[in-house]
mmCIF file of all heavy atoms in Angstrom:
data_model
loop_
_atom_site.group_PDB
_atom_site.id
_atom_site.type_symbol
_atom_site.label_atom_id
_atom_site.label_comp_id
_atom_site.label_asym_id
_atom_site.label_seq_id
_atom_site.Cartn_x
_atom_site.Cartn_y
_atom_site.Cartn_z
ATOM 1 N N ASN A 1 26.314 46.492 77.649
ATOM 2 C CA ASN A 1 27.355 45.900 76.838
ATOM 3 C C ASN A 1 26.891 44.769 75.910
ATOM 4 O O ASN A 1 27.714 44.040 75.359
ATOM 5 C CB ASN A 1 28.530 45.386 77.703
ATOM 6 C CG ASN A 1 29.244 46.549 78.366
ATOM 7 O OD1 ASN A 1 29.381 47.615 77.771
ATOM 8 N ND2 ASN A 1 29.674 46.356 79.596
ATOM 9 N N GLU A 2 25.600 44.610 75.740
ATOM 10 C CA GLU A 2 25.077 43.626 74.781
ATOM 11 C C GLU A 2 24.463 44.371 73.612
ATOM 12 O O GLU A 2 23.743 45.343 73.798
ATOM 13 C CB GLU A 2 24.036 42.723 75.445
ATOM 14 C CG GLU A 2 24.652 41.772 76.463
ATOM 15 C CD GLU A 2 23.651 40.782 77.005
ATOM 16 O OE1 GLU A 2 22.747 40.383 76.238
ATOM 17 O OE2 GLU A 2 23.778 40.400 78.158
ATOM 18 N N HIS A 3 24.739 43.882 72.391
ATOM 19 C CA HIS A 3 24.247 44.512 71.163
ATOM 20 C C HIS A 3 22.717 44.512 71.152
ATOM 21 O O HIS A 3 22.093 43.523 71.482
ATOM 22 C CB HIS A 3 24.787 43.753 69.954
ATOM 23 C CG HIS A 3 24.295 44.291 68.649
ATOM 24 N ND1 HIS A 3 24.711 45.487 68.144
ATOM 25 C CD2 HIS A 3 23.394 43.794 67.789
ATOM 26 C CE1 HIS A 3 24.098 45.713 66.989
ATOM 27 N NE2 HIS A 3 23.288 44.694 66.760
ATOM 28 N N VAL A 4 22.132 45.628 70.736
ATOM 29 C CA VAL A 4 20.677 45.728 70.571
ATOM 30 C C VAL A 4 20.378 45.415 69.124
ATOM 31 O O VAL A 4 20.931 46.024 68.214
ATOM 32 C CB VAL A 4 20.178 47.155 70.934
ATOM 33 C CG1 VAL A 4 18.691 47.290 70.647
ATOM 34 C CG2 VAL A 4 20.477 47.475 72.385
ATOM 35 N N SER A 5 19.485 44.454 68.893
ATOM 36 C CA SER A 5 19.204 44.041 67.519
ATOM 37 C C SER A 5 18.297 45.045 66.810
ATOM 38 O O SER A 5 17.626 45.858 67.445
ATOM 39 C CB SER A 5 18.565 42.665 67.512
ATOM 40 O OG SER A 5 17.304 42.724 68.150
ATOM 41 N N ASP A 6 18.314 44.980 65.492
ATOM 42 C CA ASP A 6 17.438 45.835 64.686
ATOM 43 C C ASP A 6 16.003 45.347 64.809
ATOM 44 O O ASP A 6 15.738 44.166 64.906
ATOM 45 C CB ASP A 6 17.862 45.786 63.219
ATOM 46 C CG ASP A 6 19.187 46.478 62.990
ATOM 47 O OD1 ASP A 6 19.557 47.315 63.825
ATOM 48 O OD2 ASP A 6 19.846 46.186 61.977
ATOM 49 N N GLY A 7 15.098 46.304 64.797
ATOM 50 C CA GLY A 7 13.689 45.982 64.875
ATOM 51 C C GLY A 7 12.834 47.125 64.371
ATOM 52 O O GLY A 7 13.263 47.917 63.546
ATOM 53 N N PHE A 8 11.663 47.209 64.876
ATOM 54 C CA PHE A 8 10.659 48.183 64.455
ATOM 55 C C PHE A 8 11.139 49.619 64.629
ATOM 56 O O PHE A 8 10.905 50.483 63.788
ATOM 57 C CB PHE A 8 9.412 47.928 65.285
ATOM 58 C CG PHE A 8 8.180 48.577 64.789
ATOM 59 C CD1 PHE A 8 7.544 48.100 63.654
ATOM 60 C CD2 PHE A 8 7.608 49.633 65.472
ATOM 61 C CE1 PHE A 8 6.376 48.694 63.193
ATOM 62 C CE2 PHE A 8 6.443 50.205 65.026
ATOM 63 C CZ PHE A 8 5.825 49.737 63.886
ATOM 64 N N PHE A 9 11.829 49.894 65.722
ATOM 65 C CA PHE A 9 12.377 51.215 66.035
ATOM 66 C C PHE A 9 13.873 51.116 66.238
ATOM 67 O O PHE A 9 14.378 50.077 66.632
ATOM 68 C CB PHE A 9 11.807 51.752 67.350
ATOM 69 C CG PHE A 9 10.357 52.096 67.318
ATOM 70 C CD1 PHE A 9 9.437 51.277 67.934
ATOM 71 C CD2 PHE A 9 9.913 53.250 66.720
ATOM 72 C CE1 PHE A 9 8.098 51.587 67.938
ATOM 73 C CE2 PHE A 9 8.577 53.582 66.705
ATOM 74 C CZ PHE A 9 7.663 52.753 67.326
ATOM 75 N N PHE A 10 14.565 52.233 66.028
ATOM 76 C CA PHE A 10 15.937 52.384 66.480
ATOM 77 C C PHE A 10 16.164 53.859 66.737
ATOM 78 O O PHE A 10 15.309 54.697 66.452
ATOM 79 C CB PHE A 10 16.964 51.790 65.478
ATOM 80 C CG PHE A 10 16.985 52.482 64.140
ATOM 81 C CD1 PHE A 10 17.843 53.560 63.921
ATOM 82 C CD2 PHE A 10 16.184 52.058 63.110
ATOM 83 C CE1 PHE A 10 17.861 54.197 62.690
ATOM 84 C CE2 PHE A 10 16.209 52.675 61.885
ATOM 85 C CZ PHE A 10 17.052 53.762 61.683
ATOM 86 N N THR A 11 17.287 54.199 67.311
ATOM 87 C CA THR A 11 17.545 55.579 67.734
ATOM 88 C C THR A 11 18.786 56.142 67.080
ATOM 89 O O THR A 11 19.787 55.431 66.950
ATOM 90 C CB THR A 11 17.699 55.650 69.261
ATOM 91 O OG1 THR A 11 18.757 54.781 69.667
ATOM 92 C CG2 THR A 11 16.420 55.270 69.989
ATOM 93 N N VAL A 12 18.714 57.407 66.661
ATOM 94 C CA VAL A 12 19.861 58.075 66.084
ATOM 95 C C VAL A 12 19.978 59.486 66.652
ATOM 96 O O VAL A 12 19.002 60.069 67.117
ATOM 97 C CB VAL A 12 19.774 58.187 64.524
ATOM 98 C CG1 VAL A 12 19.825 56.814 63.880
ATOM 99 C CG2 VAL A 12 18.571 58.960 64.075
ATOM 100 N N GLY A 13 21.204 59.989 66.612
ATOM 101 C CA GLY A 13 21.482 61.367 66.981
ATOM 102 C C GLY A 13 22.336 62.003 65.912
ATOM 103 O O GLY A 13 22.897 61.314 65.053
ATOM 104 N N TYR A 14 22.444 63.326 65.990
ATOM 105 C CA TYR A 14 23.272 64.043 65.038
ATOM 106 C C TYR A 14 24.139 65.025 65.796
ATOM 107 O O TYR A 14 23.649 66.047 66.295
ATOM 108 C CB TYR A 14 22.399 64.787 64.013
ATOM 109 C CG TYR A 14 23.177 65.334 62.845
ATOM 110 C CD1 TYR A 14 23.557 64.470 61.811
ATOM 111 C CD2 TYR A 14 23.549 66.665 62.774
ATOM 112 C CE1 TYR A 14 24.288 64.945 60.735
ATOM 113 C CE2 TYR A 14 24.268 67.138 61.690
ATOM 114 C CZ TYR A 14 24.643 66.281 60.675
ATOM 115 O OH TYR A 14 25.365 66.760 59.619
ATOM 116 N N GLY A 15 25.414 64.668 65.932
ATOM 117 C CA GLY A 15 26.331 65.488 66.745
ATOM 118 C C GLY A 15 25.767 65.639 68.134
ATOM 119 O O GLY A 15 25.322 64.683 68.737
ATOM 120 N N SER A 16 25.738 66.874 68.620
ATOM 121 C CA SER A 16 25.166 67.130 69.956
ATOM 122 C C SER A 16 23.848 67.874 69.843
ATOM 123 O O SER A 16 23.413 68.492 70.803
ATOM 124 C CB SER A 16 26.168 67.914 70.811
ATOM 125 O OG SER A 16 26.445 69.167 70.172
ATOM 126 N N MET A 17 23.208 67.803 68.670
ATOM 127 C CA MET A 17 21.951 68.503 68.455
ATOM 128 C C MET A 17 20.895 67.980 69.433
ATOM 129 O O MET A 17 20.646 66.773 69.486
ATOM 130 C CB MET A 17 21.477 68.310 66.999
ATOM 131 C CG MET A 17 20.281 69.169 66.642
ATOM 132 S SD MET A 17 19.738 68.940 64.922
ATOM 133 C CE MET A 17 20.946 69.928 64.077
ATOM 134 N N PRO A 18 20.250 68.886 70.182
ATOM 135 C CA PRO A 18 19.189 68.445 71.113
ATOM 136 C C PRO A 18 18.035 67.769 70.373
ATOM 137 O O PRO A 18 17.740 68.070 69.210
ATOM 138 C CB PRO A 18 18.711 69.763 71.761
ATOM 139 C CG PRO A 18 19.850 70.707 71.572
ATOM 140 C CD PRO A 18 20.514 70.317 70.277
ATOM 141 N N SER A 19 17.379 66.865 71.050
ATOM 142 C CA SER A 19 16.296 66.079 70.454
ATOM 143 C C SER A 19 15.227 66.930 69.776
ATOM 144 O O SER A 19 14.852 66.665 68.643
ATOM 145 C CB SER A 19 15.634 65.214 71.532
ATOM 146 O OG SER A 19 16.532 64.282 72.055
ATOM 147 N N SER A 20 14.757 67.946 70.465
ATOM 148 C CA SER A 20 13.669 68.776 69.896
ATOM 149 C C SER A 20 14.136 69.510 68.646
ATOM 150 O O SER A 20 13.378 69.639 67.687
ATOM 151 C CB SER A 20 13.136 69.753 70.933
ATOM 152 O OG SER A 20 14.177 70.577 71.408
ATOM 153 N N ASP A 21 15.380 69.986 68.644
ATOM 154 C CA ASP A 21 15.910 70.666 67.467
ATOM 155 C C ASP A 21 16.061 69.687 66.309
ATOM 156 O O ASP A 21 15.800 70.030 65.152
ATOM 157 C CB ASP A 21 17.276 71.300 67.773
ATOM 158 C CG ASP A 21 17.186 72.456 68.754
ATOM 159 O OD1 ASP A 21 16.046 72.902 69.065
ATOM 160 O OD2 ASP A 21 18.253 72.911 69.207
ATOM 161 N N LEU A 22 16.481 68.465 66.609
ATOM 162 C CA LEU A 22 16.672 67.461 65.559
ATOM 163 C C LEU A 22 15.325 67.074 64.948
ATOM 164 O O LEU A 22 15.224 66.976 63.723
ATOM 165 C CB LEU A 22 17.387 66.237 66.116
ATOM 166 C CG LEU A 22 17.750 65.131 65.122
ATOM 167 C CD1 LEU A 22 18.527 65.665 63.945
ATOM 168 C CD2 LEU A 22 18.520 64.021 65.825
ATOM 169 N N VAL A 23 14.299 66.890 65.774
ATOM 170 C CA VAL A 23 12.967 66.571 65.239
ATOM 171 C C VAL A 23 12.510 67.684 64.305
ATOM 172 O O VAL A 23 12.054 67.431 63.186
ATOM 173 C CB VAL A 23 11.951 66.346 66.377
ATOM 174 C CG1 VAL A 23 10.516 66.347 65.829
ATOM 175 C CG2 VAL A 23 12.228 65.068 67.105
ATOM 176 N N ALA A 24 12.628 68.933 64.762
ATOM 177 C CA ALA A 24 12.191 70.091 63.943
ATOM 178 C C ALA A 24 12.984 70.162 62.647
ATOM 179 O O ALA A 24 12.405 70.412 61.574
ATOM 180 C CB ALA A 24 12.332 71.374 64.739
ATOM 181 N N ALA A 25 14.287 69.951 62.714
ATOM 182 C CA ALA A 25 15.128 70.030 61.515
ATOM 183 C C ALA A 25 14.771 68.914 60.527
ATOM 184 O O ALA A 25 14.645 69.163 59.321
ATOM 185 C CB ALA A 25 16.609 69.945 61.892
ATOM 186 N N LEU A 26 14.595 67.701 61.013
ATOM 187 C CA LEU A 26 14.235 66.583 60.129
ATOM 188 C C LEU A 26 12.872 66.819 59.474
ATOM 189 O O LEU A 26 12.686 66.479 58.297
ATOM 190 C CB LEU A 26 14.263 65.263 60.894
ATOM 191 C CG LEU A 26 15.640 64.736 61.261
ATOM 192 C CD1 LEU A 26 15.519 63.544 62.221
ATOM 193 C CD2 LEU A 26 16.441 64.345 60.036
ATOM 194 N N LEU A 27 11.941 67.374 60.217
ATOM 195 C CA LEU A 27 10.609 67.630 59.644
ATOM 196 C C LEU A 27 10.696 68.584 58.450
ATOM 197 O O LEU A 27 9.927 68.459 57.500
ATOM 198 C CB LEU A 27 9.671 68.198 60.698
ATOM 199 C CG LEU A 27 9.067 67.164 61.662
ATOM 200 C CD1 LEU A 27 8.306 67.863 62.779
ATOM 201 C CD2 LEU A 27 8.185 66.190 60.914
ATOM 202 N N ARG A 28 11.643 69.525 58.489
ATOM 203 C CA ARG A 28 11.815 70.436 57.354
ATOM 204 C C ARG A 28 12.213 69.709 56.079
ATOM 205 O O ARG A 28 12.071 70.232 54.988
ATOM 206 C CB ARG A 28 12.851 71.502 57.699
ATOM 207 C CG ARG A 28 12.377 72.499 58.725
ATOM 208 C CD ARG A 28 13.389 73.609 58.961
ATOM 209 N NE ARG A 28 13.106 74.273 60.200
ATOM 210 C CZ ARG A 28 13.789 74.129 61.322
ATOM 211 N NH1 ARG A 28 14.846 73.323 61.353
ATOM 212 N NH2 ARG A 28 13.440 74.762 62.418
ATOM 213 N N TYR A 29 12.749 68.494 56.223
ATOM 214 C CA TYR A 29 13.173 67.675 55.074
ATOM 215 C C TYR A 29 12.189 66.533 54.818
ATOM 216 O O TYR A 29 12.485 65.615 54.068
ATOM 217 C CB TYR A 29 14.589 67.147 55.302
ATOM 218 C CG TYR A 29 15.579 68.274 55.325
ATOM 219 C CD1 TYR A 29 15.824 68.980 56.498
ATOM 220 C CD2 TYR A 29 16.233 68.681 54.155
ATOM 221 C CE1 TYR A 29 16.699 70.045 56.516
ATOM 222 C CE2 TYR A 29 17.117 69.749 54.161
ATOM 223 C CZ TYR A 29 17.341 70.433 55.355
ATOM 224 O OH TYR A 29 18.195 71.498 55.361
#
């Protein structure tokens, strides 16, 4: 329940797309 500050890394998701599928899809772009 404490805000995580911005830094070197952060995390994002896209809908319910699995991590491996999202990595592969982003690499295509």
Side-chain angles (χ1 to χ4, degrees):
N1 293 324
E2 291 186 33
H3 178 72
V4 176
S5 65
D6 290 338
F8 195 72
F9 292 105
F10 64 90
T11 57
V12 295
Y14 192 78
S16 60
M17 188 180 281
S19 297
S20 58
D21 293 350
L22 184 54
V23 167
L26 287 170
L27 281 172
R28 289 185 198 105
Y29 294 85

